[in-house]
Amino acid sequence: MKVKRNTLLLACLVWSAAGFNILRIGLMAYPPYLMVVNYLLSVLVFVVFQRFIFGKMVKKHTARIISYLEERHFFLKFFDGKAFAIMAVMMTGGIGLRVSGLAPERFIAVFYTGLGAALLLAGLLFGRNFGKAVFAASPAKNNMEQKGE
């Protein structure tokens, strides 16, 4: 079950699906809490996760994938062990918070909206990186470069 190196950047599908689902949960819980302070808190969660976690992970994993010398790799190699562990902890924690009722609905609305938006953006950035990698490897681009276009 090996795929081409650049195909590993299709991690965008995993990240985007997860981000969309978390964002959807947050937005469904949001209607009773439509207040400026909650919007600002959601934006803060988004910025923190995008800047300090997901944005860095996208850069790190894209650089790692692009640096592979072999062309074909096991399809789960789009993350390293640490990233899979982080994902497992976040999923377990999130599901646990919702199921246990420990987190109030307002927290779910505010936090999940910011987190889901950051995760969705990370997926889209992986997708952009995939598009760039595919374009860089395309014969049409190589032909244009050879012609000086």
Side-chain angles (χ1 to χ4, degrees):
M1 299 201 48
K2 291 187 173 189
V3 296
K4 288 185 177 181
R5 175 184 58 235
N6 289 340
T7 304
L8 293 174
L9 291 172
L10 283 177
C12 68
L13 300 175
V14 174
W15 288 71
S16 296
F20 177 80
N21 191 47
I22 293 168
L23 179 60
R24 182 186 60 78
I25 292 167
L27 291 174
M28 285 174 35
Y30 229 115
Y33 309 104
L34 299 175
M35 294 175 257
V36 173
V37 68
N38 291 338
Y39 300 147
L40 294 174
L41 288 171
S42 290
V43 169
L44 178 64
V45 169
F46 169 81
V47 168
V48 167
F49 273 89
Q50 183 54 41
R51 179 160 169 89
F52 297 109
I53 299 172
F54 299 137
K56 287 183 177 185
M57 287 180 79
V58 168
K59 289 177 187 170
K60 174 187 160 191
H61 292 297
T62 298
R64 179 180 51 78
I65 289 167
I66 290 173
S67 73
Y68 288 150
L69 298 176
E70 304 85 31
E71 181 58 28
R72 299 186 76 76
H73 296 272
F74 183 61
F75 76 99
L76 288 178
K77 211 171 172 184
F78 60 84
F79 286 150
D80 57 12
K82 181 180 174 184
F84 277 113
I86 289 170
M87 188 169 53
V89 167
M90 287 180 67
M91 287 173 64
T92 303
I95 292 167
L97 277 175
R98 283 196 338 264
V99 170
S100 70
L102 291 175
E105 194 71 11
R106 178 179 176 215
F107 173 83
I108 299 297
V110 170
F111 187 76
Y112 273 47
T113 300
L115 176 68
L119 192 53
L120 179 58
L121 178 58
L124 295 174
L125 292 173
F126 261 123
R128 180 197 67 188
N129 293 344
F130 172 72
K132 284 181 177 180
V134 168
F135 180 72
S138 75
K141 180 187 182 273
N142 295 333
N143 288 340
M144 288 186 337
E145 288 175 350
Q146 289 174 356
K147 293 178 183 176
E149 293 176 11

